[in-house]
């Protein structure tokens, strides 16, 4: 059967499953729409959280980021950063927010800081980081469609919007939870199966995590030593030691991704769906187990696929492949524009070296490592189709979680809690569906315009979450002294400096012409790149919030009681009376 | 509020906090420490095909994170029972 036909069948089947689940798990109340009724088993929630969390970027791009752009060791920032945040969540945030027992993140901030203004500021922060993030997912859906199903980018994006719209609007958190579980299964199979094959072919060990530390088949050279040597010979830096910019930058990058992870509202609200505080702690652990299956496989995929590419191009030292005889997968991916070659020295052979003057592999997109992996390993067509379905599952599951976070913030925190408290439950449910629909359309629009916007957004979302939401939540739990004035100014200034640094480097809304203060130079703040700046924004937030709190009068007694109550698992929380 | 007195609640929170601090120190050491700050030194040690620092940065820290969370789950369940604040 044709590859395209198989891909349509596999992707079509996976979509059918999501829709059937969505119809079976329709939400009938706001409780079901916002937190899936609050009765999700911690293992099920862990799996849903893993799918919610692992986006198109994790699935399609991360291995390539590690293996190509960050040249190996430098890519560790993603591996540690995007997993270490769960330790913070499990200990510092999730149990207490679950105990508090409401529906949304701004709701906690509004109550804890006894202020509608704080709630509205939190809603704005939430929308900024969730919208920037969801745009990245929409782009991922468009890209996955266009590459595997040979549609154009726009058609792919519209199809994705319709699918997400259908099950997220209908099912709310309840529908999303069960589809995310199905999506996790699809995406993890799609990621690990090719990795197992490739690891077995190269090292004889089918477990990629072990294969990465093994010797190559038929030799006693370790895979990583071989890769280090091949890279050094072609003028690249050593794979296992090349630092991303500087040690300080790697430190800041990792810290920013960690606290950004812990501050992303669509991840936090997943912990509101389990029955107990104890379950929230457990659930974070299970989530990390399910995430780690992919995250410990990714570095193996990165190194192995990079080595495969190097060896395809230069099978034995000094013997470069004839361009005429390059493998079929190479030609296939040239058509998509992810690979491009140019015979600069006219010898009819392909040279891939670090020196841009002599390098003939003029385009090597990060996404190629995961996307072309099955073809490089010569796996059957159904596995290629599975990778397509996996990439779409990763993008759809994350998009749905983000859209829910956005719509609940609008219908619950803005409408119900702030501007229109007398609204009935049915009306609130309709409003959240309406808000979801608008969010889907808005995200789709921003997936297309401005064109450069979608690419830069995912990293920005982490920076914003780290600098605004995480510190407000943490101080809200760990201190009863932080005041509303402190929290609000902390969030606003933390968000402000982060946006300033990112936009100053990359242009407002990532439009390159809208850069400002070029005289400051690149990475002027101690050599820290914009993507790694979130932890600085967070530090500014903490400092501002604590100082301002010190100068303003103490929070009322009921806030002190609230803080005490959320720290103890048993008993109920007596929600503070509105002010 | 549960049946805990203010002093007991204070005690419970203190125990929880000291557990958190201990675990967060390990969290910091295996990722920022072994994976970033001391990576060059650790890379002098080789285990199988892995340089040790590289292994911490790309594999080891993640496994240890999982262990930390489950240790916290178990230790907190014990603490909850000791103070009689486990749910139902």
């Amino acid at each position: 059967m044709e590859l395209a036909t198989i891909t349509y069948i596999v992707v079509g089947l996976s979509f059918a499953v999501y829709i059937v689940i969505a119809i079976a798990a329709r939400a009938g109340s706001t409780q079901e729409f916002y937190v899936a009724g609050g009765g999700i088993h911690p293992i099920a929630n862990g799996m849903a959280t893993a799918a919610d969390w692992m986006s198109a970027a994790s699935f399609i791009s991360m291995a390539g980021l590690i293996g190509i752009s960050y040249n190996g060791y430098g890519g560790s920032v993603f591996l540690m950063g995007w997993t270490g945040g769960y330790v913070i969540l499990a200990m510092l945030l999730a149990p207490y927010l679950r105990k508090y027992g409401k529906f949304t993140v701004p709701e906690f901030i509004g109550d804890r800081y006894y202020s509608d203004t704080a709630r509205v500021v939190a809603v704005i922060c939430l929308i900024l980081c969730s919208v920037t993030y969801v745009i990245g997912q929409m782009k991922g859906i468009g890209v996955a469609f266009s590459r595997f199903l040979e549609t154009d980018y726009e058609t792919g994006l519209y199809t994705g919007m319709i699918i997400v719209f259908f099950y997220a609007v209908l099912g709310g958190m309840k529908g999303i939870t069960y589809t995310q579980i199905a999506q996790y299964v699809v995406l993890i199979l799609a990621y690990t199966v090719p990795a197992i094959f490739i690891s077995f072919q190269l090292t004889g060990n089918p477990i990629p995590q072990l294969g990465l530390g093994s010797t190559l088949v038929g030799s006693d050279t370790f895979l990583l030593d071989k890769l280090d040597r091949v890279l050094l010979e072609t003028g690249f830096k050593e794979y296992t030691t090349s630092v991303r910019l500087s040690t300080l930058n790697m430190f800041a990058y990792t810290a920013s991704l960690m606290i950004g992870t812990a501050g992303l509202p669509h991840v936090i609200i997943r912990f509101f769906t389990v029955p107990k505080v104890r379950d929230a702690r457990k659930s974070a652990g299970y989530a990390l187990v399910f995430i780690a299956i992919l995250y410990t496989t990714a570095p193996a995929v990165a190194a192995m696929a990079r080595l495969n590419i190097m060896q395809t191009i230069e099978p034995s030292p000094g013997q470069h492949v004839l361009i005429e005889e390059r493998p079929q997968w190479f030609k296939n991916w040239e058509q998509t524009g992810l690979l491009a070659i140019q015979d600069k020295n006219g010898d009819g052979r392909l040279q891939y070296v670090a020196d841009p003057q002599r390098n003939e592999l003029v385009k090597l997109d990060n996404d190629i490592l995961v996307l072309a992996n099955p073809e490089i390993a010569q796996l059957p067509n159904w596995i290629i189709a599975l990778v397509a379905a996996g990439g779409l599952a990763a993008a759809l599951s994350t998009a749905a979680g983000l859209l829910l976070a956005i719509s609940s913030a609008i219908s619950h925190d803005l409408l119900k809690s702030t501007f229109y408290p007398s609204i009935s439950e049915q009306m609130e449910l309709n409003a959240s569906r309406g808000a979801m629909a608008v969010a889907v359309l808005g995200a789709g629009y921003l997936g297309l315009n401005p064109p450069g916007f979608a690419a830069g957004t995912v990293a920005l979302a982490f920076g914003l979450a780290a600098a605004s939401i995480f510190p407000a939540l943490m101080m809200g739990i760990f201190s009863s002294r932080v005041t509303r004035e402190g929290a609000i100014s902390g969030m606003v200034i933390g968000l402000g400096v982060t946006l300033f640094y990112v936009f100053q480097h990359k242009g407002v809304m990532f439009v390159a012409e809208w850069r400002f203060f070029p005289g400051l130079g690149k990475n002027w703040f101690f050599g820290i790149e914009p993507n790694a700046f979130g932890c600085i924004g967070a530090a500014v937030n903490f400092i501002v919030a604590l100082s301002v709190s010190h100068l303003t009068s103490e929070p009322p007694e009921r806030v002190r009681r609230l803080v005490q109550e959320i720290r103890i698992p048993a008993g109920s929380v007596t929600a503070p009376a509105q002010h | 509020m549960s049946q805990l007195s203010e002093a007991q609640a204070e005690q419970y929170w203190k125990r929880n906090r000291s557990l958190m601090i201990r675990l967060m120190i390990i969290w910091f050491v295996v990722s920022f420490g072994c994976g970033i700050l001391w990576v060059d030194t650790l890379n002098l040690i080789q285990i199988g095909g892995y340089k040790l620092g590289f292994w911490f940065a790309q594999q080891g820290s993640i496994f240890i994170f999982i262990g930390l969370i489950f240790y916290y789950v178990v230790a907190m369940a014990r603490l909850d029972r000791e103070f009689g604040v486990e749910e139902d």
Side-chain angles (χ1 to χ4, degrees), chain A residues 208-519:
Chain A
Q209 289 82 349
L210 299 177
L212 183 59
S214 301
T215 52
L216 292 162
V217 167
S219 91
D220 46 13
T221 312
F222 286 115
L223 183 146
L224 286 167
D225 291 343
K226 171 87 179 176
L227 183 56
D228 277 347
R229 206 171 59 231
V230 170
L231 287 176
L232 284 172
E233 279 165 8
T234 42
F236 291 96
K237 286 201 196 134
E238 199 174 59
Y239 190 85
T240 50
T241 55
S242 46
V243 171
R244 170 73 178 180
L245 302 186
S246 68
T247 297
L248 177 65
N249 183 63
M250 281 191 69
F251 193 98
Y253 210 142
T254 306
S256 299
L257 295 182
M258 281 186 184
I259 55 182
T261 301
L264 280 174
H266 74 285
V267 178
I268 296 173
I269 55 174
R270 285 241 48 101
F271 294 97
F272 298 168
T273 66
V274 295
K276 297 185 193 118
V277 172
R278 193 165 69 229
D279 298 328
R281 298 179 196 133
K282 269 190 214 161
S283 202
Y286 288 121
L288 188 54
V289 169
F290 293 124
I291 291 166
I293 296 175
L294 191 147
Y295 271 60
T296 54
T297 305
V301 170
M304 290 173 188
R306 180 80 189 268
L307 184 63
N308 261 333
I309 289 176
M310 308 296 294
Q311 289 190 323
T312 302
I313 292 172
E314 194 175 351
S316 52
Q319 276 302 314
H320 297 273
V321 71
L322 283 166
I323 292 181
E324 286 293 299
E325 291 173 6
R326 65 192 191 279
Q328 185 57 42
W329 63 265
F330 225 95
K331 295 175 192 160
N332 294 346
W333 289 96
E334 279 167 41
Q335 285 165 12
T336 62
L338 296 187
L339 279 179
I341 57 176
Q342 189 190 347
D343 190 7
K344 288 179 181 164
N345 60 5
D347 65 352
R349 291 177 183 273
L350 183 60
Q351 278 94 18
Y352 173 36
V353 291
D355 176 9
Q357 299 296 322
R358 294 191 300 121
N359 179 31
E360 300 182 342
L361 186 62
V362 288
K363 170 85 187 174
L364 173 62
D365 193 282
N366 287 328
D367 296 358
I368 202 86
L369 284 200
V370 168
L371 296 176
N373 220 359
E375 287 161 273
I376 297 174
Q378 292 165 342
L379 301 180
N381 279 349
W382 66 269
I383 294 184
I384 303 176
L386 187 63
V387 171
L392 287 165
L396 288 171
S397 56
T398 306
L402 288 160
L403 289 166
L404 186 90
I406 296 168
S407 72
S408 59
I410 292 172
S411 62
H412 193 66
D413 297 314
L414 286 188
L415 219 56
K416 170 85 180 173
S417 302
T418 312
F419 295 116
Y420 194 18
S422 61
I423 191 171
S424 75
E425 187 184 327
Q426 190 56 44
M427 280 162 74
E428 188 186 339
L429 187 58
N430 291 341
S432 52
R433 291 201 160 114
M436 180 89 83
V438 173
V440 173
L441 294 175
Y445 176 80
L446 288 167
L448 296 167
N449 319 280
F453 189 60
T457 50
V458 170
L460 176 65
F462 282 90
L464 297 183
S468 61
I469 295 169
F470 173 76
L473 290 176
M474 197 184 150
M475 286 182 288
I477 295 163
F478 283 80
S479 154
S480 46
R481 182 64 184 81
V482 175
T483 66
R484 76 177 152 215
E485 294 83 1
I488 294 168
S489 40
M491 283 191 281
V492 170
I493 297 174
L495 189 79
V497 294
T498 308
L499 271 180
F500 172 85
Y501 196 75
V502 173
F503 282 169
Q504 187 257 323
H505 277 81
K506 302 195 171 176
V508 177
M509 299 295 278
F510 301 97
V511 177
E513 297 88 81
W514 295 351
R515 269 185 288 234
F516 50 94
F517 299 149

Side-chain angles (χ1 to χ4, degrees), chain A residues 73 238 240-242, chain B residues 34-35 38-47 50-57:
Chain A
Y73 169 68
E238 199 174 59
T240 50
T241 55
S242 46
Chain B
C34 300
W38 315 316
V39 71
D40 291 333
T41 318
L42 288 172
N43 276 345
L44 298 174
I45 304 166
Q46 176 116 2
I47 295 182
Y50 281 117
K51 294 189 175 96
L52 189 57
F54 179 83
W55 179 81
F56 265 108

